[in-house]
Amino acid sequence: IPVPEQDGFNFTLREPVGVVVKILTWNTPLGGISMSVPAALAAGCTVILKPAEHAPFAAVRFAQLCAEAGLPAGVVNVVVGDAFAGDILVRDPRVAKVSFTGGPGTARKLQAAAAQNLTPLVLELGGKSAHIVFADADLTAAARFSSIVTALSGQGCSLPSRLLVERSVYEEVVSAVTANFAAIPGGGPFADRHSMGAVANRAGLVRRAVGRERVENPV
């Protein structure tokens, strides 16, 4: 790397950081794996997956597939458990980096745990995606797109969970979205005819029941 007006040799050495811990969210564990694990492996790191206690099986199956594909033992590992297991992993001095997807409350606890060894953290703390519809839009397509918020039973941070509609087409869009929602078959997640299944746990069910309301003030 050239350094102006300075004698000497300046360079960057690209090398693996070491053991990377990926703490997965429960709603899209395979998505979290695919966004982080391949990059860590390509850089020469080893990976420990800590899945959410409500959804451990995707990470376990992924590790099984890695073994079947021929990855050496110890390259991709899985540690299952609750928050205690995650805390132990983050505090371990042998861990070189931590990647976390989840909520800000847990992220604060992870920051405190990582501070003990100054372990670098990558935090992805969700989102609240807005879908904006103006009067000149394709309203049928907009209503259809808005309906994908029911994917994962609404348990996804990248789903269009907020709908902002221009006043002149508000009622038309609401009616179309309502009709689309009514046509979505819900029920047990193992039935092929169901496109919307259960929430992850009873706590999630209670939160959604309390927070369910319709906004009556159009933009």
Side-chain angles (χ1 to χ4, degrees):
I1 298 176
V3 181
E5 300 178 3
Q6 178 178 332
D7 295 330
F9 178 63
N10 191 31
F11 70 99
T12 297
L13 181 63
R14 299 186 182 277
E15 59 185 4
V17 296
V19 179
V20 176
V21 169
K22 173 62 180 181
I23 301 177
L24 299 166
T25 183
W26 48 264
N27 57 348
T28 54
L30 284 177
I33 289 172
S34 64
M35 289 190 294
S36 55
V37 173
L41 297 180
C45 302
T46 57
V47 175
I48 299 175
L49 295 173
K50 162 56 181 76
E53 57 266 37
H54 301 299
F57 302 116
V60 172
R61 181 57 182 149
F62 176 80
Q64 291 173 341
L65 293 174
C66 288
E68 293 175 11
L71 263 67
V75 174
V76 174
N77 313 272
V78 179
V79 174
V80 297
D82 56 12
F84 177 77
D87 183 75
I88 292 295
L89 286 171
V90 174
R91 293 181 186 275
D92 195 304
R94 295 169 293 181
V95 171
K97 195 166 188 177
V98 176
S99 175
F100 168 73
T101 303
T106 302
R108 294 186 185 96
K109 296 177 182 177
L110 292 177
Q111 284 182 312
Q116 178 175 316
N117 298 306
L118 299 178
T119 304
L121 280 170
V122 176
L123 303 175
E124 182 191 4
L125 304 183
K128 194 68 173 172
S129 306
H131 182 195
I132 303 175
V133 181
F134 292 106
D136 60 349
D138 183 334
L139 301 184
T140 300
R144 186 186 309 116
F145 178 78
S146 298
S147 302
I148 69 171
V149 72
T150 60
L152 303 173
S153 300
Q155 303 167 118
C157 60
S158 60
L159 299 174
S161 51
R162 289 187 294 152
L163 183 58
L164 309 178
V165 183
E166 190 170 349
R167 184 187 301 273
S168 61
V169 293
Y170 176 80
E171 292 298 335
E172 182 178 354
V173 172
V174 169
S175 296
V177 170
T178 301
N180 288 341
F181 283 173
I184 295 172
F190 296 108
D192 292 338
R193 66 183 182 278
H194 294 158
S195 59
M196 184 171 65
V199 293
N201 51 48
R202 183 166 294 278
L205 175 64
V206 172
R207 283 196 300 271
R208 279 155 182 79
V210 171
R212 186 170 55 231
E213 58 183 20
R214 175 183 172 183
V215 177
E216 296 293 348
N217 297 315
V219 175

